[in-house]
Amino acid sequence: MDDLRLALLLNAVSPAVGGVLVRGEKGTAKSTAVRALAALMPPVETVPGCRFSCDPRRPDPACPDGPHGSGPGESRPAPMVELPVGASEDRLVGSLDIERALSEGVKAFEPGLLARAHRGVLYVDEVNLLQDFLIDSLLDAAAMGVVHIEREGVSVRHSSRFLLVGTMNPEEGELRPQLLDRFGLTVEVAASRETGERMEVVRRRLEYDEDPAAFAARWAGEESGLRERIAAARALLPQVRLGDAALRQIAATCAAFEVDGMRADIVMARTATALAAWAGRTDVAAEDVRQAALLALPHRRRRNPFDAPGLDEEKLDETLRQNGGTGDGGSDGGTDGGGQPPQDGPRERSGTPEPSLPGQSRDEEGAGPGQGGGEQAPARAGEPFRARALHVPGVGEGAAGRRSRARTAQGRTTGARRPQGALSRLHLAATVRAAAPHQRARGRSGPGLLVRREDLREAVREGRESNLVLFVVDASGSMAARRRMGAVKGAVLSLLLDAYQRRDKVGLISFRGSGAEVALPPTSSVDAAAARLESLPTGGRTPLAAGLLKARDVLRTERLRDPSRRPLLVAVTDGRATGGPQPVVRARQAARLLAADGTASVVVDCESGPVRLGLAGALAAELGGPAVTLEELRADTVTGLVRSLQTPHPTHRNTRRNTHRRAA
């Protein structure tokens, strides 16, 4: 936890560093460490009665509670505000006070969490699961230090400068690149593998549970010392000098590691300055630059969501040496190794396809008895590409995302309706129109509008939802025989990248040999799906029916867990079916069962060669969805445009089957 403590303390010294992103496995006390920071933050002086925590020495001239006159301030603890993953936009940025607007006829603003977090800490647990519309508002506030609200005739602006701290478990999915870059520093946290340290953790936790007050009193002295050191470092910070030599090292390091934009340079400069102040120095040294790089650069070097964050320390030391620094990695004041992933963490993908493995040219399904069941080494995925968008038909009501049309809490307003249950999204204009004709009959005499329950209308909004994309991948010998598996994995990897960008859940089923297996249960971690795909073995016969039936079982379970999330089945196969009695008939029966369930499907046709049997097209017809080739799956392909998926009524299935036959 050394890196985590250091990163939090540096932000307490200089909030301009830009916050901390804490990545780590479950059960590593990430949230506990972040919440403990609030007790160490020095109190803030605020204008008495101001809901927006204005500084009495420099009050915000646009504060909604202003204008503020001169006068003594009041001391408040630094605010520690937690943003729930499921919060609404109104809860985050604030909203019109509906009660006063309707009863008194006045425009009154109700502040949100961004107002409460001003000059304090805004903590987001499971920040990678935050919905897109909340991320957009958070990005705007973090970038400008100001919140603008324009809604229901209310125009409000107020300051919101806060220390942004987020925690996440990478197994549950990665963070959007835009938000990732907003965090100044990132640290990796893992549970200790040392027996003695683990014993001490358990011992302290049991002591706290037995007597929390006595435990807190035991460490009060050290906390007080840390608080005083933070205050002293803050006072020293304006005197710290960032010389040209240190600035050259910072610029050269960011250039050497090819980070995007200039934010990394600025964050490194602020972090190195805070490190010097924390050490009680007024000059930035080479060890400050090195430690700043280890904390500020790893998450900015990722080129796609499958890259593990990290930094090559040998390259860092060499860069510092070439630009006038010691770069020996041993003069960092005992704070070593910031920003490095755990040794057993995910490997970094190079993104460059490796050549096909030898011994994959034999068509195992055409071999004689006893020759088709051999397992082959996993093929490397080909170069990913930008995949064409695939959508589930109709309008859903699932979690907010970027794939299919849906009625969501955010999006464009398409109408109004009577509330179904508790009122959550008031449509003000429709409510006023419903109540206006009855004002005389209700005896209205004052400025307020007399509104009754039956007048209330809620907004109907349409946006985009995320879906469950379930991949059913043919890993049989016929796929490896023609050296296609590398290209197939590259296509699936491209679709996984698309699913990551659209905030989908993903699952992976493979079938080969004598059956099918769930290689990855549905999860939000696209990174985990890519890792399972990379290690997917091939070989044996093609139990297509088993793969489809396994997919049906998984989807049935997921519908019970999350009924509002609509599935999209992506079958990656050449359409062949071998092994067992009547394999082709059973495969078509399984496909018809999925179609009867209303599952939206698409078949990625992996068949190659001059003679094409059209088996994948026939399978797509039974599933009730389109079939696209690997080439048609590319977004830059002119032919074979796939605009959306269609789930036809069973009575239209014959028409679709004839269409596919004509296309073949």
Side-chain angles (χ1 to χ4, degrees), residues 159-170:
S159 297
S160 182
R161 295 182 178 86
F162 47 83
L163 167 57
L164 179 62
V165 182
T167 56
M168 61 173 284
N169 182 354

Side-chain angles (χ1 to χ4, degrees), residues 3 186-189 294 298 309-313 337-343:
D3 295 335
T186 184
V187 291
E188 292 276 345
V189 177
L294 291 171
L311 210 62
D312 185 343
E313 293 196 41
Q340 286 299 302
Q343 294 299 316

